[in-house]
Amino acid sequence: MTALDLSSPVAVVGTGTMGQGIAQVALVAGHSVRLYDAVPGRAREAAAAIGARLDRLVEKDRLGAAARDAARARLLPAERLADLADCALVVEAVLERLDVKQELLRELEDVVGEDCLLATNTSSLSVTAIGGALRNPGRFVGLRFFNPAPLLPLVEVVSGFASDVTSATRAYETARAWGKTPVACADTPGFIVNRIARPFYAEAFAVYEAQGADPATIDAVLRECGGFKMGAFELTDLIGQDVNESVTHSVWQSFFQDARFTPSLAQRRLVESGRLGRKTGHGWYDYAEGSERAEPHTAERAQPPAYVVTEGDLGPASELLALMREAGIQVREEDEDHGTRLVLPSGGQLALADGQTSVEFRDVVYFDLALDYRRATRVALSASQDTSPQTLAEATGLFQALGKQVSVIGDVPGMIVARTVARIVDLAHDAVAKGVATEEDVDTAMRLGVNYPLGPFEWSRRLGRNWAYALLDDLHLRDPSGRYAPSLALYRHAYATDKREGSTS
């Protein structure tokens, strides 16, 4: 099954931001596009807005004047649904209410031809449930674009329970012909991106609720250590706290209140207070004119240790050993294999976050996972009230000697980046095991849909297959709510790897 021919008209129903964006994508690709909105006059206003955006593309030399004029000529506001009768594809982008979408699609089914492909841009509702109102749900699929649709490349092509393979394939190939990067996805709560991205927000909020660190510090660690483009607090302020919480709540409810998707009480209070983020001038941060920018906690300068003793290769943090040598810090090697721990001159230990707490040990400072320790500009350290001040000072000075700013957070098991990445990896394995999508499509979706520095499976391969399971297993022992219980898919993945290596652990 191939993409729709460019001679085939495409319709978009619903002319909000997303509807206009989808229409622009189809229009620039070469289709005639019909715009319909139930509110009189909205379709013409939307057509004018799209025309103005095409003008700006010409001004920026991203579109030729002749191509713009041709596109404008192909854009037609529709006064009635009957005007969409000859369309080969109709994408609805109306209100996120099941009853509204079902009623619209029933009306469309009476208007369009039997071979017309019907699609929804829903981000939170079940494609199967929406299509359940149709006489022929086989021709109905999800086409989830990301905002702004003309700029972001990802499109999730969602097959409902009754969707025909030919319909999904045609939608997939059409999205690709439009210059997008489609990924195939089964109908599951949150699809790929909104399902697997939940821990990015949830774990940041959990660290805050546990008084482990403030929002500015958590965001700085996620950006400067984890390699994420934005931190969870600033990103949800940009999205809108009400919008982000609504998606989280929808996924949680759709998974029968699974503990892994539990919403944040702190975010709920923020929404209740009307602090919705940038659009209201206040969210996690204050955006009022003249307000001071919140700064992350950064430790004072400390004296670095003259040497460290390594008991193993530090696992995912092994690159630190080379950085220490380059900084003039002597690295003494002992013939032991604890894997992820250093001994400092004070006798205290420095360990990579592993899901345990500092208070459990005599004198341990944990450091967080980094995407790239050489390029990271900030590293978080975690200590308990029982940690020796000298050990914490030596750990702080060590990372400062490597050119990193240091943020000291509370005794948080799994810290910030490590627990977030482990949970993302776990949800990704669980999704693939349940047939939601392929590993390749999951990685593509998370890189392009939410701009992650690595896809979950890329992270898993880099960190070692047992890493995420071991960390979550330790976290689950300390918080047996079910939130951190490793999935059966991740367990099988880790166990199979250990078995091949001859381990019986």
Side-chain angles (χ1 to χ4, degrees):
M1 182 62 66
T2 58
L4 293 178
D5 190 272
L6 290 180
S7 63
S8 302
V10 171
V12 178
V13 179
T15 58
T17 301
M18 187 57 77
Q20 290 182 33
I22 297 169
Q24 182 178 327
V25 170
L27 192 65
V28 172
H31 289 272
S32 294
V33 176
R34 313 281 170 78
L35 281 174
Y36 176 79
D37 198 291
V39 178
R42 285 275 178 86
R44 292 191 178 279
E45 292 173 3
I50 293 170
R53 282 197 289 275
L54 295 178
D55 288 339
R56 289 195 289 274
L57 291 178
V58 172
E59 292 169 3
K60 296 176 180 179
D61 292 325
R62 296 178 182 173
L63 185 69
R68 173 201 58 196
D69 295 341
R72 277 183 162 173
R74 295 194 303 271
L75 182 59
L76 300 173
E79 299 294 336
R80 305 168 301 153
L81 278 180
D83 296 336
L84 313 183
D86 63 339
C87 288
L89 167 65
V90 181
V91 183
E92 70 81 10
V94 300
L95 189 65
E96 277 293 88
R97 275 181 42 186
L98 180 61
D99 58 336
V100 172
K101 292 179 183 293
Q102 288 181 327
E103 182 178 354
L104 168 64
L105 287 163
R106 280 193 292 264
E107 293 179 22
L108 281 170
E109 200 169 28
D110 292 333
V111 169
V112 299
E114 290 296 323
D115 59 347
C116 177
L117 183 63
L118 298 176
T120 175
N121 185 60
T122 185
S123 61
S124 61
L125 298 176
S126 164
V127 171
T128 301
I130 298 171
L134 294 171
R135 293 190 301 273
N136 177 18
R139 62 166 165 176
F140 180 68
V141 298
L143 269 179
R144 197 223 166 175
F145 289 77
F146 288 74
N147 192 33
L151 296 180
L152 295 186
L154 184 69
V155 176
E156 291 178 322
V157 181
V158 185
S159 294
F161 186 78
S163 299
D164 291 336
V165 173
T166 53
S167 298
T169 303
R170 171 161 281 185
Y172 184 98
E173 293 300 333
T174 297
R176 185 158 64 177
W178 290 358
K180 296 301 181 181
T181 302
V183 292
C185 175
D187 186 21
T188 183
F191 309 139
I192 300 175
V193 173
N194 274 343
R195 172 177 178 155
I196 296 174
R198 293 348 295 163
F200 179 72
Y201 313 107
E203 294 312 305
F205 298 161
V207 173
Y208 168 75
E209 289 176 329
Q211 300 187 51
D214 60 276
T217 298
I218 296 170
D219 277 354
V221 172
L222 286 168
R223 289 193 313 268
E224 300 170 36
C225 185
F228 293 95
K229 297 297 182 182
M230 298 181 74
F233 296 89
E234 58 187 337
L235 180 55
T236 52
D237 268 357
L238 179 64
I239 295 169
Q241 298 302 331
D242 52 339
V243 174
N244 181 260
E245 193 213 25
S246 176
V247 172
T248 298
H249 199 271
S250 174
V251 171
W252 176 61
Q253 290 284 16
S254 296
F255 277 111
F256 308 106
Q257 300 185 2
D258 188 325
R260 296 176 300 167
F261 302 102
T262 302
S264 162
L265 181 58
Q267 187 179 39
R268 174 91 291 263
R269 293 292 178 257
L270 205 64
V271 172
E272 289 174 339
S273 70
R275 294 185 171 186
L276 306 183
R278 288 183 178 271
K279 62 187 177 183
T280 61
H282 205 305
W284 295 110
Y285 300 110
D286 187 352
Y287 299 96
E289 186 176 351
S291 60
E292 292 187 11
R293 177 184 175 87
E295 297 294 338
H297 166 76
T298 302
E300 298 290 335
R301 297 297 304 180
Q303 185 69 28
Y307 69 91
V308 296
V309 178
T310 175
E311 301 172 340
D313 64 0
L314 290 188
S318 58
E319 186 179 25
L320 284 173
L321 298 178
L323 295 180
M324 291 174 199
R325 293 185 177 101
E326 292 169 16
I329 296 172
Q330 183 183 4
V331 178
R332 302 175 183 175
E333 298 183 9
E334 290 196 355
D335 190 22
E336 293 187 43
D337 190 12
H338 292 173
T340 55
R341 296 193 177 221
L342 294 170
V343 179
L344 299 165
S346 64
Q349 292 185 325
L350 183 62
L352 176 62
D354 59 7
Q356 301 181 87
T357 57
S358 181
V359 76
E360 298 172 52
F361 303 96
R362 184 181 64 81
D363 197 10
V364 170
V365 172
Y366 280 104
F367 64 93
D368 210 346
L369 178 71
L371 172 69
D372 183 334
Y373 283 102
R374 185 172 292 276
R375 295 184 179 182
T377 58
R378 183 180 299 271
V379 171
L381 300 180
S382 174
S384 75
Q385 66 272 19
D386 296 331
T387 303
S388 161
Q390 180 63 25
T391 296
L392 182 56
E394 288 177 346
T396 299
L398 173 63
F399 280 102
Q400 289 172 340
L402 305 185
K404 319 300 180 188
Q405 292 185 304
V406 173
S407 292
V408 179
I409 70 172
D411 189 13
V412 178
M415 300 192 68
I416 298 170
V417 179
R419 71 196 291 175
T420 299
V421 170
R423 289 208 58 219
I424 289 170
V425 167
D426 182 47
L427 290 187
H429 277 279
D430 184 53
V432 169
K434 292 176 178 173
V436 174
T438 65
E439 290 186 9
E440 181 181 2
D441 277 357
V442 167
D443 277 355
T444 298
M446 301 314 290
R447 286 197 314 270
L448 299 184
V450 278
N451 211 11
Y452 283 3
L454 292 175
F457 292 96
E458 291 175 309
W459 245 315
S460 184
R461 288 188 291 272
R462 175 185 287 198
L463 296 169
R465 292 194 174 193
N466 192 53
W467 178 84
Y469 174 79
L471 187 144
L472 290 176
D473 195 39
D474 276 336
L475 267 171
H476 179 54
L477 288 174
R478 288 151 184 81
D479 179 359
S481 64
R483 180 189 184 101
Y484 300 105
S487 67
L488 181 59
L490 191 64
Y491 172 80
R492 284 173 170 158
H493 187 72
Y495 178 75
T497 302
D498 286 346
K499 188 175 182 180
R500 284 195 297 271
E501 295 171 354
S503 171
T504 58
S505 59

